[in-house]
Amino acid sequence: MTNLRIGDTAPDFEAETTQGKINFHEWLGDSWGVLFSHPKDFTPVCTTELGYMAKINPEFEKRNVKIIGLSVDPVDNHAEWAADIEETQGFMPGYPMIGDTDLQVAKLYGMLPAGAGETSEGRTAVDNQTVRTVFVIAPDKSIKLMISYPMSTGRNFNEILRVIDSMQLTAKHQVATPVNWEDGDDVIIVPAVSNEDAEKKFPGGWKTLKPYLRVVPQPK
């Protein structure tokens, strides 16, 4: 089982998807990426998730983020499932879905143990319940976020958008975002920036709550 951590390089792989064979790193190119996984096709919670991701995909595209799903079932099943998703959720997934029938990607990303076998056949959703993780990957292919969910709880993809907004903002400016931050809220000047440098970066000034806690309006 791979023990991935934030900052590690996202493992590269080749896989069949609903949009043809891909090499993951090549497919990502210079974009950010969201890889989100599912334990099995035709499962209720995942059906709602895939539909919602299809609905808000334009928001990810605006942020230069590519979405890709993964389920351990075959790609042919994904196509049938996509029709159910469109019928029940009102949106057809326009992003690729990986068919991980040999469990290669699930193992590579630490979502299943090495001893899980080499085929999806005969495996139930409960067998694959740990294949419920969201990975956010930066253009340099480093992992920036990992969140795993239980099968009974639908994921909050608005939160994933919020985190991506924060990461893209903080990568550009030397700031961090406080608890419950939303786009447009005040941010925090990181401790590595001296007051002297902060005066150049934030000429409008800031509020010092503590020497290590300096609050400033969100930079544009």
Side-chain angles (χ1 to χ4, degrees):
M1 190 167 181
T2 307
N3 292 316
L4 291 174
R5 295 178 177 84
I6 287 176
D8 287 350
T9 298
D12 197 13
F13 57 85
E14 285 189 353
E16 294 293 341
T17 80
T18 49
Q19 296 180 9
K21 193 167 190 174
I22 66 158
N23 173 287
F24 185 53
H25 282 190
E26 278 181 19
W27 177 82
L28 275 176
D30 295 327
S31 300
W32 290 70
V34 172
L35 168 64
F36 68 118
S37 61
H38 306 272
K40 199 163 181 61
D41 290 5
F42 307 105
T43 49
V45 173
C46 294
T47 298
T48 65
E49 293 175 337
L50 287 158
Y52 190 74
M53 281 296 258
K55 178 180 178 180
I56 66 170
N57 194 17
E59 290 299 318
F60 286 97
E61 289 176 341
K62 273 197 260 183
R63 294 159 170 83
N64 187 33
V65 181
K66 290 183 175 180
I67 296 171
I68 191 164
L70 176 147
S71 178
V72 299
D73 285 334
V75 167
D76 289 351
N77 288 18
H78 295 354
E80 289 180 45
W81 190 17
D84 286 0
I85 292 162
E86 183 177 33
E87 180 186 342
T88 61
Q89 307 303 308
F91 293 89
M92 169 73 79
Y95 47 84
M97 281 282 291
I98 296 164
D100 193 26
T101 53
D102 60 2
L103 314 181
Q104 174 208 345
V105 182
K107 291 178 184 177
L108 200 56
Y109 277 74
M111 296 180 283
L112 285 175
E118 296 178 355
T119 178
S120 60
E121 286 185 29
R123 295 181 65 85
T124 68
V126 173
D127 293 332
N128 301 328
Q129 63 183 298
T130 49
V131 188
R132 289 272 298 152
T133 304
V134 180
F135 297 88
V136 175
I137 299 156
D140 67 359
K141 311 301 182 289
S142 64
I143 295 172
K144 295 297 186 185
L145 172 84
M146 297 184 293
I147 309 179
S148 296
Y149 287 76
M151 288 201 327
S152 55
T153 302
R155 288 172 268 201
N156 184 337
F157 290 114
N158 293 333
E159 165 66 1
I160 303 303
L161 278 173
R162 186 190 77 89
V163 175
I164 289 169
D165 281 342
S166 170
M167 290 191 292
Q168 291 185 342
L169 176 73
T170 56
K172 187 176 178 184
H173 305 279
Q174 289 182 297
V175 295
T177 55
V179 62
N180 295 336
W181 173 87
E182 299 284 349
D183 188 27
D185 290 351
D186 288 351
V187 297
I188 297 164
I189 302 170
V190 297
V193 177
S194 67
N195 283 338
E196 184 181 9
D197 287 340
E199 285 170 9
K200 297 170 194 165
K201 286 180 175 296
F202 311 104
W206 60 86
K207 181 191 246 181
T208 301
L209 303 181
K210 290 287 180 183
Y212 57 85
L213 183 52
R214 295 164 295 174
V215 178
V216 69
Q218 177 177 321
K220 303 299 181 193

